[in-house]
């Protein structure tokens, strides 16, 4: 028996009722099954800069040997290699959920350390200001709590990367697509755990 419009509306409302307000504000859930990693779900598509982005992959990320975050990558076209994902032009999103309470200072220091280990010297020199902006984004917080959701969105129209925490803008906007590609190396660089790199190109799930 076909589902009535009333039943369909009730189903949509019940599906979103359990989501926090900042998650519901991301827009209507797209068609297709979300990808779930460690209990956190990522929609298969996300609109950014007037373009529909596709979930390229999702994976667990570690600090030392501790499962710390679940990270996902969205691109205009799916890529099964790190090289292809890094080279993809256009709008892009990196986002992650915190798997545990984490010191904001420790997380920021880890990100900066991974940039230094995985980016080239030219990339670091050419994005010195943006790296400082990125490193200070959590400066007014002592920690991220389990379940906190962070997004990093690059939009070509303004050539800027914006960062949010639970739907609220944090830090300064950071200029340039090359900077976002460098950020991707925090999770996809050669000196990052293989399972994380593979997950973000759809080869594993953490």
């Amino acid at each position: 028996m076909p589902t009535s419009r009333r039943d369909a509306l009730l189903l949509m409302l019940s599906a979103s009722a359990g989501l926090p307000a900042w998650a519901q504000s991301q827009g209507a859930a797209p068609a297709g099954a979300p990808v779930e990693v460690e209990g956190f779900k990522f929609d298969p598509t996300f609109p950014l800069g007037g373009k529909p982005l596709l979930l390229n992959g999702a994976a667990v990320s570690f600090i030392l040997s501790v499962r710390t975050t679940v990270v996902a990558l969205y691109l205009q076209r799916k890529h099964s290699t790190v090289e292809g994902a890094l080279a993809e032009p256009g709008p892009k999103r990196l986002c992650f959920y915190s798997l545990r309470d984490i010191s904001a200072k420790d997380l920021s220091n880890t990100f900066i350390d991974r940039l230094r280990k995985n980016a080239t010297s030219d990339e670091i020199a050419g994005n010195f200001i943006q790296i400082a902006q990125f490193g200070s984004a959590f400066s007014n917080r002592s920690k991220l709590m389990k379940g906190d959701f962070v997004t990093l969105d690059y939009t070509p129209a303004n050539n800027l990367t914006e960062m949010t925490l639970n739907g609220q803008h944090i830090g300064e906007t950071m200029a340039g697509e090359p900077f976002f590609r460098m950020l991707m190396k925090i999770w996809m660089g050669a000196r990052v755990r293989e399972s994380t790199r593979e997950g973000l190109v759809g080869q594993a799930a953490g």
Side-chain angles (χ1 to χ4, degrees), residues 146-190:
K146 181 178 179 180
D148 278 352
F149 182 57
V150 175
T151 67
L152 287 154
D153 291 335
Y154 171 73
T155 307
N158 56 20
N159 197 32
L160 294 173
T161 295
E162 297 188 11
M163 192 171 184
T164 72
L165 171 62
N166 296 335
Q168 300 297 313
H169 181 82
I170 60 172
E172 300 178 64
T173 54
M174 296 155 282
E177 189 170 19
F179 172 69
F180 194 93
R181 289 198 174 103
M182 186 174 63
L183 280 184
M184 292 168 70
K185 293 183 180 180
I186 292 175
W187 295 276
M188 304 180 77

Side-chain angles (χ1 to χ4, degrees), residues 15-202:
S16 64
L19 294 175
W22 56 262
Q24 294 183 40
S25 69
Q26 297 295 313
V35 172
E36 182 172 339
V37 181
E38 295 287 325
F40 293 100
K41 294 181 180 180
F42 299 95
D43 286 331
T45 65
F46 179 80
L48 181 65
K51 303 288 185 180
L53 302 188
L54 304 175
L55 177 62
N56 203 72
V60 173
S61 183
F62 298 73
I63 294 180
L64 298 177
S65 296
V66 178
R67 290 170 174 254
T68 307
T69 62
V70 177
V71 60
L73 172 66
Y74 288 82
L75 301 170
Q76 285 194 96
R77 296 182 302 165
K78 284 194 173 185
H79 290 273
S80 60
T81 66
V82 170
E83 294 77 12
L86 289 171
E88 175 66 19
K92 292 174 267 285
R93 161 172 279 208
L94 281 164
C95 56
F96 63 86
Y97 287 98
S98 178
L99 289 174
R100 60 187 69 247
D101 294 356
I102 315 168
S103 160
K105 181 178 180 180
D106 288 348
L107 186 64
S108 179
N109 287 344
T110 297
F111 287 161
I112 298 303
D113 182 58
R114 287 187 184 172
L115 281 178
R116 290 172 179 155
K117 289 179 177 178
N118 290 282
T120 66
S121 57
D122 286 344
E123 285 176 320
I124 292 172
N127 293 279
F128 183 81
I129 293 174
Q130 293 93 323
I131 292 171
Q133 292 170 329
F134 176 63
S136 65
F138 296 115
S139 60
N140 63 345
R141 296 180 64 90
S142 61
K143 63 173 63 176
L144 263 67
M145 308 300 291
K146 181 178 179 180
D148 278 352
F149 182 57
V150 175
T151 67
L152 287 154
D153 291 335
Y154 171 73
T155 307
N158 56 20
N159 197 32
L160 294 173
T161 295
E162 297 188 11
M163 192 171 184
T164 72
L165 171 62
N166 296 335
Q168 300 297 313
H169 181 82
I170 60 172
E172 300 178 64
T173 54
M174 296 155 282
E177 189 170 19
F179 172 69
F180 194 93
R181 289 198 174 103
M182 186 174 63
L183 280 184
M184 292 168 70
K185 293 183 180 180
I186 292 175
W187 295 276
M188 304 180 77
R191 300 182 66 182
V192 175
R193 188 180 288 252
E194 185 177 10
S195 62
T196 303
R197 294 199 312 270
E198 291 182 344
L200 291 174
V201 292

